[in-house]
Structures are given as structure tokens and as C-alpha cells.
Amino acid sequence: MAMSWIMAGFLIMAVLRGGAPELRRFRQFLPLLAGWAVGMAVWLWFLFDVLIGAVNGHAGLLIGAGAATIFCVALAAGAFTRTIGLAAIVPVMIVLMLLGVPASGGGLPISMVPDIFRTLQDVLPLPAAVDIARSLVYFDSAGLGGNLLTIAAWGGAGLVLNLLADLWLAHRARQGKGIPAEVPRVGAPGKAAQADTEEQREDAALAGSAAAS
């Protein structure tokens, strides 16, 4: 469940970066991320509880924690996919997922992994998400607050970085450079589309003038 939360937060920004490069302002992402986070949290709870039966009860808390994790991870991942481009997918995946698996204690007890992962356990979002799910299902929410703070810290850092990314991308746009590694799409809003719209308006105005005369 925790890995699914992390993947859901990461994938939405990777998909939007590759499939909707015209979304350039952070405020354009926020409603999409909020809806995605809540929808995926509900679906993942339904999958793991109702369909698979891997977890039982605590539906509201699991959905709320899942939505918060997905949203915060998406903010953190988006700060890099928006500025670096699709090349950021690999390092973001390594940090958010691959390093978090041994540090989470989910597959192996944390005492059996190298010391570096014991340090990362208190920093990375995947170990925090695993502890959230574990504490809700087995330990009556013990230790929930600290793990939520870790997730919130990633979300807060992502928020600040996205706001800075807005300023940087706006500066690049003023210089005519656009988004790094941006691939134009057919029908995507841009200068060409705006020019076509203005031409259509002028043609319609001329046609109206001719009809009136």
C-alpha cells in the first residue's frame, strides 16, 4: 500500500510532464493533484481492503493518509520534472522508491540492512508511508504523528520548489527559451495557436463587415 501511494504521487507528475507540457503554472497543477490524490487513495484502499483483504478497517485514516502522501510526493516530484524534464524521472525514482525499500523495513527488518538505510529511514517518504500503514493496521496509530510530519516536510519542500520553478520558468519564457526539453504537441496552446485564433477573429470581422455593406 505504501509503495502504491508513492508511485501514484510520482507517476502523475511524470505523466503530466510528458503528456501535458502546456501546463506551466503551479496553480494549474494543484486541482489536478488534489483530485488525483483523493481518488487514488480511495481506489487503493478499496483494492487492498475490499478486493485483496490485505488490510482491515481504518478506512478513513488510510484514505486520508494515502491522499496526503500522494499529494506531498507529487509536489516533491513535480519540482524536478517541471524544471529538468523527463530526465528527472530516474533520479526521482531512485530517491523516492529504490532507496526507500530497504530503509522502510518492509521487506527486511531494519536491523539487517546497512547503516546508511537506518539513517534514511527517518528522512525518506517511503519508510514514513510504510510506518503509517503499519501503525494504522497493527499498532492503533502509534507513532503516526512523526511519520506524517516527514511526509508533510516533503510536501512543504515541494511547494517551495514549485513556486521557485514558476519564477524560473517565467524568466525562461521571457527569454524565449520555454520549458527545458519541451516537445511541441499538435494542437497544444502556444504562439502558433494564438496566431491562428487571431487570424480567425480577423477573418470573421471582415466577413461581418462585408455582409453589412
Side-chain angles (χ1 to χ4, degrees):
M1 176 174 279
M3 292 179 68
S4 299
W5 291 343
I6 301 296
M7 286 298 296
F10 161 74
L11 286 177
I12 183 60
M13 294 309 300
V15 169
L16 288 177
R17 179 61 183 85
E22 68 272 11
L23 299 179
R24 303 185 181 190
R25 299 300 298 272
F26 181 52
R27 64 184 180 213
Q28 294 175 303
F29 288 97
L30 278 179
L32 297 175
L33 296 186
W36 171 262
V38 174
M40 283 302 298
V42 172
W43 161 246
L44 291 173
W45 164 81
F46 182 79
L47 174 66
F48 287 104
D49 190 336
V50 179
L51 297 183
I52 299 177
V55 297
N56 294 298
H58 310 284
L61 290 174
L62 285 172
I63 291 173
T69 302
I70 294 170
F71 185 75
C72 290
V73 169
L75 291 180
F80 298 96
T81 57
R82 293 181 61 211
T83 53
I84 300 175
L86 295 180
I89 291 177
V90 173
V92 169
M93 175 67 73
I94 291 174
V95 173
L96 294 180
M97 183 62 67
L98 297 183
L99 292 178
V101 171
S104 67
L108 288 174
I110 195 65
S111 59
M112 298 179 63
V113 299
D115 292 339
I116 182 62
F117 294 109
R118 302 178 194 179
T119 302
L120 294 176
Q121 185 183 30
D122 299 325
V123 177
L124 297 178
L126 179 56
V130 171
D131 278 344
I132 288 172
R134 183 190 291 122
S135 65
L136 288 175
V137 176
Y138 298 112
F139 300 111
D140 196 25
S141 304
L144 188 65
N147 293 311
L148 288 176
L149 284 177
T150 300
I151 297 295
W154 279 83
L159 176 63
V160 173
L161 290 175
N162 274 285
L163 293 176
L164 293 175
D166 267 0
L167 298 176
W168 183 67
L169 292 174
H171 175 69
R172 289 180 62 88
R174 287 193 296 269
Q175 294 180 336
K177 296 180 180 180
I179 300 175
E182 181 179 9
V183 179
R185 296 192 308 145
V186 176
K191 294 182 179 179
Q194 293 175 359
D196 291 341
T197 302
E198 292 175 358
E199 290 178 359
Q200 292 173 359
R201 291 176 179 174
E202 292 176 358
D203 292 342
L206 290 175
S209 300
S213 61

